[in-house]
Amino acid sequence: MHPGNIFISLEHPENPCYIGLDCGIMGTLSEVDKRYLAENFLAFFNRDYHRIAQLYIESGWVSEKTDLQAFEQAIKVVCEPMFNKPLDEISFGHVLLELFRTARHFDIIVQPQLVLLEKTLLYIEGLGRQLYPQLDLWQTAKPFLEQWMAEQVGPKAMFKKVSTKLPYWSDKLPEFPELIYDNLKLGRKLLSSQQQMLDKYLKYQQQSHKSNYLLITSAILLICGTLLFNQNATLWAPYVCLISGAILWFIGWRSRPKNRKF
């Protein structure tokens, strides 16, 4: 979009028509992009820099770890000098440069579709300076932005989205009872399966604790029997410890739980 590709039809002078040519490099904005842009522009015209900073974070264009207050102040420093000035005293190029500097400082993820939008703003600036340099951009643009905002996120936008989705929902509506029943049945089956797995796990843990207890006790008895035997104590004491330790070790080894996957 540049002056060479912009024409005005005077076929109806009372209602002139804009004509754009050569749409070679184009970008598209998703519904999410349009909503965030609408809110951003409206917050900008209302000088609500805190809301602008919040929107950048909510949209994912800036990291959630960003210092919100510092980011808000940086936006204010860039944008505040633009207010209450006619078009011929505003340099979108300078503002764009400062915004990119801010982006580098706060690690903003530059969106390709927004870069094309910013490029278009630069062309509009040049064309606007030629056609109407005394234009009060703020008073002229704000009503359009408020209307656009209403179309994007207001009741009209909600009604439009519902109307668009209505044929799809009406087609799927007869399947809802069956889907609800299947999901409830699946949920009950999953709960039963989880309970069975939990019971198996608790049983496995009990067997494991019992086996470990017996093995540790048998090891202690075997060590005590060996020490008593080496110290030439009465013969029955070391033999009792050794035999008891061997029996407990055998029982503990046999009671070990099998390796299972839960």
Side-chain angles (χ1 to χ4, degrees), residues 199-212:
D199 292 340
K200 290 179 181 179
Y201 176 76
L202 291 175
K203 185 177 180 181
Y204 177 89
Q205 287 293 99
Q206 291 174 353
Q207 290 179 345
S208 178
H209 290 157
K210 180 181 178 181
S211 174
N212 291 337

Side-chain angles (χ1 to χ4, degrees), residues 150 153-160:
V153 296
K156 187 185 295 185
M158 180 68 70
F159 179 76
K160 184 179 178 181

Side-chain angles (χ1 to χ4, degrees), residues 5 9 18 21 38 43 46 59 96 102 105 122 130 151 164 176 182 195 200 216 220 227 230 238 242:
N5 288 331
S9 171
Y18 167 88
L21 305 177
N46 290 325
S59 66
L96 190 59
T102 304
H105 181 70
L122 294 178
Q130 296 178 35
E151 292 174 354
T164 304
F176 278 9
D182 290 343
Q195 186 62 46
K200 290 179 181 179
I216 292 171
I220 293 172
L227 292 175
N230 291 335
L242 291 171

Side-chain angles (χ1 to χ4, degrees), residues 13-42:
E14 70 285 355
N15 186 25
C17 179
Y18 167 88
I19 301 175
L21 305 177
D22 188 17
C23 303
I25 302 175
M26 295 182 63
T28 57
L29 298 174
S30 67
E31 293 300 320
V32 175
D33 285 337
K34 284 191 276 188
R35 183 170 69 83
Y36 277 119
L37 276 174
E39 292 191 50
N40 255 297
F41 280 131
L42 196 56

Side-chain angles (χ1 to χ4, degrees), residues 17-178:
C17 179
Y18 167 88
I19 301 175
L21 305 177
D22 188 17
C23 303
I25 302 175
M26 295 182 63
T28 57
L29 298 174
S30 67
E31 293 300 320
V32 175
D33 285 337
K34 284 191 276 188
R35 183 170 69 83
Y36 277 119
L37 276 174
E39 292 191 50
N40 255 297
F41 280 131
L42 196 56
F44 171 72
F45 275 86
N46 290 325
R47 299 189 183 185
D48 188 353
Y49 303 113
H50 182 76
R51 181 57 183 155
I52 295 174
Q54 282 183 325
L55 286 167
Y56 267 81
I57 294 174
E58 290 174 8
S59 66
W61 298 342
V62 179
S63 170
E64 294 181 355
K65 299 178 181 179
T66 301
D67 185 335
L68 184 63
Q69 290 184 343
F71 187 40
E72 175 188 348
Q73 186 61 32
I75 295 172
K76 183 176 181 180
V77 170
V78 173
C79 298
E80 191 66 22
M82 296 178 62
F83 283 98
N84 298 322
K85 292 182 179 180
L87 187 59
D88 61 345
E89 296 181 20
I90 299 172
S91 173
F92 281 107
H94 176 73
V95 173
L96 190 59
L97 179 61
E98 292 301 318
L99 285 174
F100 276 120
R101 287 178 180 172
T102 304
R104 286 199 300 270
H105 181 70
F106 288 94
D107 296 325
I108 294 177
I109 302 172
V110 179
Q111 307 292 320
Q113 69 275 21
L114 299 185
V115 172
L116 287 174
L117 181 62
E118 290 161 354
K119 177 183 175 184
T120 301
L121 290 176
L122 294 178
Y123 284 133
I124 290 175
E125 175 190 7
L127 188 61
R129 287 177 187 274
Q130 296 178 35
L131 298 177
Y132 192 176
Q134 286 76 38
L135 174 68
D136 188 337
L137 184 64
W138 318 117
Q139 294 298 322
T140 305
K142 190 174 180 180
F144 287 98
L145 287 171
E146 289 174 341
Q147 180 183 351
W148 185 38
M149 182 74 174
E151 292 174 354
Q152 294 299 317
V153 296
K156 187 185 295 185
M158 180 68 70
F159 179 76
K160 184 179 178 181
K161 290 177 182 178
V162 171
S163 301
T164 304
K165 293 289 185 180
L166 194 59
Y168 175 80
W169 290 341
S170 61
D171 184 50
K172 296 295 181 183
L173 188 61
E175 301 176 13
F176 278 9
E178 186 176 352

